[in-house]
Amino acid sequence: MKRSINAVYPGSFDPITNGHIYIAERAAALFDEVVVSVLLNPQKKAAFSVEERKAMAREALSHLPNVKVDSFSGLLVDFLRQEQSRIIIRGLRALSDFEYEFQLALMNRQLAPEIETLFIVTEARYSYLSSHAVKEIYQFGGAVHDMVPPGVFRRLRERFPLPRNILP
Ligand code: PNS
């Protein structure tokens, strides 16, 4: 009998961007099930609550039937064990991501040697894109509508109303 293979794609997703969606789409094409899991970290100040981040991710990934959205707190490897998964998916943009990702992957391997981190390289047009950049650009009146899905753009407008003369 064929064993089904599931993977976990963790992150802050504050908010989900088109770059994240691209990685989720590629992961969904490789695995039977992908769990996009939003980190609940009370120590890190987020622009959106976990429930809002999950709702935005769910909306943005609804075209992928084998992707589900969840959240986790505590250690990522504990969440993987709970999900009975052995694969962590992370997206890689520029070389600058590498050092942080390398450390994260080695830490997780130290904690759980049976778990593997797999990197999916982003597409060139998303290589500069991050949730942090989206929030900053938006708040200074820059155009972000082609960087995030429509539901995120709507929520950004609700969360950070801009002066009338600035219409991103
Ligand atoms: O989108 P992000 O903020 O780059 O995602 C980072 C994330 C959520 C993958 C990472 O912070 C994480 O796994 N946090 C959970 C705590 C943990 O397991 N730490 C041990 C590895 S250093």
Side-chain angles (χ1 to χ4, degrees):
M1 198 174 75
K2 189 177 162 284
R3 205 161 55 98
S4 82
I5 302 182
N6 60 344
V8 173
Y9 177 26
S12 301
F13 302 108
D14 184 36
I16 192 164
T17 68
N18 290 346
H20 293 129
I21 296 168
Y22 179 78
I23 300 295
E25 284 170 348
R26 298 203 66 100
L30 289 174
F31 300 101
D32 297 299
E33 184 184 70
V34 175
V35 184
V36 170
S37 196
V38 178
L39 173 68
L40 166 60
N41 182 356
Q43 266 125 50
K44 201 169 156 186
K45 204 180 163 298
F48 295 98
S49 71
V50 168
E51 286 314 313
E52 288 171 319
R53 285 182 268 156
K54 275 164 57 173
M56 286 186 274
R58 258 191 209 117
E59 236 172 81
L61 301 169
S62 60
H63 61 296
L64 301 169
N66 61 333
V67 172
K68 74 173 189 181
V69 177
D70 204 340
S71 57
F72 76 105
S73 58
L75 287 179
L76 175 59
V77 293
D78 288 340
F79 179 74
L80 266 95
R81 283 170 172 156
Q82 177 198 309
E83 289 292 310
Q84 298 188 326
S85 173
R86 299 199 333 184
I87 300 167
I88 298 169
I89 300 291
R90 293 288 287 170
L92 260 194
R93 291 168 301 186
L95 200 60
S96 51
D97 274 345
F98 183 76
E99 209 168 312
Y100 170 65
E101 293 298 336
F102 192 67
Q103 187 188 15
L104 206 65
L106 289 185
M107 278 290 189
N108 285 325
R109 179 174 292 165
Q110 175 75 23
L111 294 167
E114 78 280 11
I115 290 173
E116 208 63 70
T117 302
L118 299 186
F119 295 103
I120 296 181
V121 174
T122 193
E123 204 171 67
R125 68 192 150 124
Y126 300 131
S127 58
Y128 59 91
L129 188 53
S130 70
S131 304
H132 176 77
V134 164
K135 285 178 286 191
E136 193 159 289
I137 293 167
Y138 179 82
Q139 287 179 74
F140 288 117
V144 297
H145 55 268
D146 56 355
M147 301 179 191
V148 291
V152 170
F153 187 58
R154 182 170 50 76
R155 281 182 181 81
L156 277 169
R157 294 181 79 129
E158 288 165 7
R159 179 57 41 91
F160 307 108
L162 290 175
R164 271 170 185 275
N165 58 336
I166 300 178
L167 279 179

